[in-house]
Amino acid sequence: MTDYLDGEMQGEALKTVETHLAQCSACRQFVEDLKQAVATPFKEAEEKTPSERVWANIRESILQEQLKRKPAVPERLLDFLGRVFQPKPLAVLVPVMAVILLAVFLPLQSPVQKYEDAGIYLVQELGITGDSDYFESDIENGGLGTVVEEFFM
Amino acid sequence: MKEIPDVVLEEAAGGSLAAFEEIYKSASGFVYSVALRVIQDRADAEEVTQDVFIKVYKHLSSFESRSSFKTWLYRITVNTALNYTKKIQKERLRRRNDERILENQEVPAEAENRLDQEDKEKAVQVLLSTLNPDQRACIVLREIEGLDYAQIASALGINLNTVRSRLKRAREALMAQARKGVMKK
């Protein structure tokens, strides 16, 4: 009966029901009562309208949602800076450690090595050698020959 | 429910509040009425209406305009209403019983004098209150909204035979209610 009432019955089944109803007044009455009880009252139901505050609440929720999606400029700026300066473990740590190690170990070069480097510089770049007159004593060249000079030289 | 042009749906999906308000104006009566008949409480139906439109706003961008907006809205409305009903069933039942007591005290003076829309609406509410929420949803979609079985099945996410059996049981309950009414008279 449900399919018949809802217009979902087709073909042979529909023909059979219609033929029977045409002959049987009790069943016709039953179908009529059924319609009165389960269908007719609903046909006159009207569409209802929600109160105005429903839209006000929805609008408010949407605006809040939009604010969440687009944060204010200072907040976005802070967010951007935070992301820029956020430490990135390996990308930052490795170069920083390399700089620290260089800064610590480079000054530990031995003084002897430094003097040797200076000697090489003097000889190769300035052309000054041990034979140079620069280091000859005035004594040998007939310097002052004073006691003080001899003491310091 | 009025037809909503695709361009309005697209603008609303793009974030236009004005377009979304247009959708609300066209569909809120329909959503609220379905929710009210399934839930049977105005405040709860308004809350469900609110939830439904917020869901629609959030998911409108993923809605494919090839399918029917109305069917999509049915699905969201009925499912939200049914979930809400299940969640607050005990609480609502208690409240409704209180309201019924009040109604029974108020009705006699007016009822015999006029059969206006309010009375018809009350009759609808009384009939629907004899059904469980799933049956109610089926009857509302079938008898008030005029959906066929396939549309009801799609809106509720159930198969055709389940639609058929829920309607059958609902109508048995409604017939029993009608007989009770006749016996009282």
Side-chain angles (χ1 to χ4, degrees):
Chain A
M1 245 330 64
T2 297
D3 279 14
Y4 175 74
L5 213 61
D6 291 325
E8 299 270 344
M9 193 177 270
Q10 290 166 349
E12 207 53 40
L14 181 63
K15 272 185 194 170
T16 307
V17 171
E18 282 176 339
T19 306
H20 179 75
L21 286 176
Q23 298 164 348
C24 178
S25 61
C27 283
R28 275 203 306 278
Q29 187 59 48
F30 174 75
V31 171
E32 199 49 45
D33 289 348
L34 193 62
K35 282 181 182 171
Q36 285 296 320
V38 306
T40 307
F42 300 110
K43 301 296 175 206
E44 294 179 55
E46 283 185 337
E47 190 170 276
K48 300 288 174 185
T49 312
S51 66
E52 286 182 7
R53 70 189 160 90
V54 174
W55 171 246
N57 290 343
I58 292 167
R59 191 174 179 280
E60 183 65 28
S61 297
I62 290 173
L63 290 174
Q64 280 179 5
E65 182 77 18
Q66 286 178 344
L67 276 177
K68 270 187 212 167
R69 284 184 196 169
K70 293 178 193 169
V73 172
E75 203 179 321
R76 277 193 286 169
L77 187 66
L78 285 174
D79 184 47
F80 171 74
L81 291 174
R83 272 185 280 124
V84 167
F85 292 106
Q86 188 179 23
K88 295 169 179 64
L90 278 177
V92 173
L93 198 63
V94 171
V96 166
M97 287 306 292
V99 169
I100 291 171
L101 288 173
L102 283 172
V104 169
F105 289 108
L106 272 181
L108 290 183
Q109 195 180 20
S110 73
V112 174
Q113 181 65 41
K114 272 193 213 170
Y115 295 135
E116 282 173 3
D117 291 347
I120 290 165
Y121 176 76
L122 289 171
V123 171
Q124 290 180 350
E125 300 295 326
L126 303 177
I128 299 169
T129 64
D131 301 334
S132 168
D133 294 342
Y134 279 66
F135 301 104
E136 281 179 1
S137 166
D138 287 342
I139 299 168
E140 291 165 15
N141 297 328
L144 294 173
T146 62
V147 176
V148 174
E149 190 182 16
E150 279 174 15
F151 175 79
F152 281 107
M153 297 305 289
Chain B
M1 188 178 100
K2 292 176 205 162
E3 275 301 314
I4 299 167
D6 283 352
V7 66
V8 174
L9 293 173
E10 282 162 18
E11 280 176 21
S16 164
L17 192 57
F20 192 73
E21 189 171 3
E22 209 174 311
I23 295 174
Y24 177 82
K25 280 177 182 167
S26 300
S28 59
F30 149 75
V31 170
Y32 176 68
S33 298
V34 170
L36 179 63
R37 266 135 201 165
V38 173
I39 295 176
Q40 302 210 288
D41 182 283
R42 282 181 192 172
D44 291 341
E46 287 195 343
E47 206 170 316
V48 166
T49 304
Q50 213 168 294
D51 286 354
V52 167
F53 278 97
I54 289 168
K55 281 179 190 170
V56 168
Y57 178 79
K58 284 182 179 170
H59 298 103
L60 199 53
S61 55
S62 60
F63 166 70
E64 291 177 11
S65 55
R66 280 172 295 169
S67 56
S68 159
F69 178 73
K70 194 171 181 176
T71 305
W72 186 60
L73 196 56
Y74 272 125
R75 194 176 305 140
I76 296 176
T77 302
V78 176
N79 287 329
T80 306
L82 285 175
N83 288 339
Y84 192 92
T85 305
K86 281 166 192 163
K87 201 172 80 181
I88 59 155
Q89 208 158 24
K90 283 181 186 172
E91 169 63 18
R92 190 174 53 78
L93 193 65
R94 184 187 59 74
R95 244 191 302 165
R96 209 172 62 202
N97 287 338
D98 293 345
E99 281 168 10
R100 272 192 198 151
I101 292 165
L102 287 172
E103 277 173 13
N104 288 341
Q105 289 169 344
E106 288 168 6
V107 166
E110 292 177 341
E112 288 187 19
N113 297 330
R114 59 188 179 90
L115 260 172
D116 60 6
Q117 192 56 42
E118 250 181 60
D119 293 326
K120 289 174 184 170
E121 184 58 38
K122 257 181 201 164
V124 169
Q125 293 295 339
V126 169
L127 286 173
L128 290 174
S129 71
T130 62
L131 309 175
N132 71 37
D134 290 329
Q135 292 169 346
R136 220 151 44 214
C138 279
I139 285 288
V140 167
L141 293 180
R142 174 67 208 129
E143 300 296 354
I144 299 177
E145 298 300 327
L147 269 61
D148 62 28
Y149 287 6
Q151 288 170 320
I152 296 172
S154 167
L156 295 175
I158 54 179
N159 64 43
L160 282 177
N161 281 334
T162 309
V163 172
R164 192 172 277 118
S165 73
R166 281 184 190 176
L167 282 172
K168 182 177 175 286
R169 285 177 201 283
R171 282 165 177 162
E172 285 168 357
L174 291 173
M175 277 297 278
Q177 178 72 16
R179 284 197 190 107
K180 261 194 231 168
V182 169
M183 284 172 75
K184 273 182 188 174
K185 282 176 192 172

